[in-house]
Amino acid sequence: MNNLITILLQVSISTGALFLIYYTFLRKDTFFKTNRFYLVLSIVASLLIPFIDFSFLFNGGQQVFMVLLDPVIITPDGIQESINNNNNVYQIITAMYLTGVFIFSIRFIFQLLQLTRLINRFWITKQEGMRLVFTSQEYSPFSFFNLIFINHHNIDSPEVRKILQHESVHIRQWHSLDLILIELVTIVLWFNPFVWFYRHAIKSLHEYLADEGVLHSGVDVNVYSTLLFEQGTGIQINDLTNNFSKSLIKKRIIMMTKKKTA
């Protein structure tokens, strides 16, 4: 139990330090692909750091210091009482942690079942090389791996074509893999606030990248911005999906019109 708590603390400190680097130096840059790579790599590195032995970095030039302290008398009863108290604390902390893991694991499974239910309800249609699920009007357009969930059947309209372009970027760049990864990390580190910052930052970068892909295809930024506002309603199914109309519209428009980082 003690080792588990130690590992979780080390991982939490690592995620905090690496995210602060992103927040301080990279957050406002327009290098969206680089920033995405950094966030994904840094959170994976945080999980591995506790299992890497860095002692070889500090072996050279070791010095030995001797400090003389007053004698301390330790009795068997005192040792046993201390052990019992520590065990009780560790058991409580471990029980709380595992309860959180269980809750977020159930949440993850429920989100997958939500998507499965939508697929079974509306079925998959293949058109123009895309795998589409035509949902009802209550759902906002979104994608998950190679599936695009959209509430329009007229895919030839200019507005729908732009939405499909946006979601196709998510699919081509495998953004759903990032979301699955961060969801699994959240199950393990649900108590760590920096993991939630990672979630928000990664999803934001996904939208910036998809918007960038649409604009690079020749779509006018003003026309596209108007489309974002028009599509700003609808049910967001869950956190495993890339939603076209996420609550990032203002930031996305700022990033679309921002001067590219040198």
Side-chain angles (χ1 to χ4, degrees), residues 7 10-11 13-15 17-18 42-54:
I7 290 172
Q10 289 176 338
V11 173
I13 292 171
S14 300
T15 54
L18 292 172
S42 64
I43 202 164
V44 172
S46 298
L47 297 174
L48 298 178
I49 282 175
F51 305 100
I52 301 175
D53 184 9
F54 293 99

Side-chain angles (χ1 to χ4, degrees), residues 25 97 173 179 203 247:
F25 300 106
Y97 169 71
Q173 297 184 3
L179 299 182
K203 289 183 78 72
S247 57

Side-chain angles (χ1 to χ4, degrees), residues 18 21-23 25-43 173 175 178 198 201-202 204-206 208-209 212 260-262:
L18 292 172
I21 292 174
Y22 166 79
Y23 189 85
F25 300 106
L26 305 174
R27 175 174 55 99
K28 296 182 179 180
D29 288 348
T30 58
F31 298 123
F32 304 135
K33 291 182 179 179
T34 303
N35 286 353
R36 176 198 176 196
F37 177 78
Y38 172 83
L39 286 175
V40 173
L41 184 64
S42 64
I43 202 164
Q173 297 184 3
H175 291 172
D178 298 358
Y198 264 100
I202 287 174
S204 298
L205 285 171
H206 287 174
Y208 301 156
L209 284 165
E212 184 180 61
K260 297 300 179 182
T261 305

Side-chain angles (χ1 to χ4, degrees), residues 66-130:
M66 182 178 293
V67 179
L68 299 178
L69 302 174
D70 294 333
V72 178
I73 299 174
I74 302 175
T75 63
D77 291 339
I79 294 174
Q80 188 61 46
E81 182 180 356
S82 177
I83 291 174
N84 290 337
N85 290 337
N86 286 335
N87 284 339
N88 289 336
V89 171
Y90 289 139
Q91 287 173 358
I92 292 172
I93 294 175
T94 303
M96 293 172 60
Y97 169 71
L98 293 179
T99 300
V101 170
F102 175 76
I103 291 172
F104 282 94
S105 297
I106 295 298
R107 176 178 176 269
F108 176 64
I109 294 171
F110 176 75
Q111 291 183 119
L112 291 176
L113 291 176
Q114 272 187 311
L115 293 170
T116 302
R117 180 175 173 273
L118 274 183
I119 294 170
N120 292 335
R121 178 183 173 188
F122 296 107
W123 302 101
I124 298 173
T125 303
K126 295 182 180 179
Q127 287 187 237
E128 301 181 14
M130 297 178 289

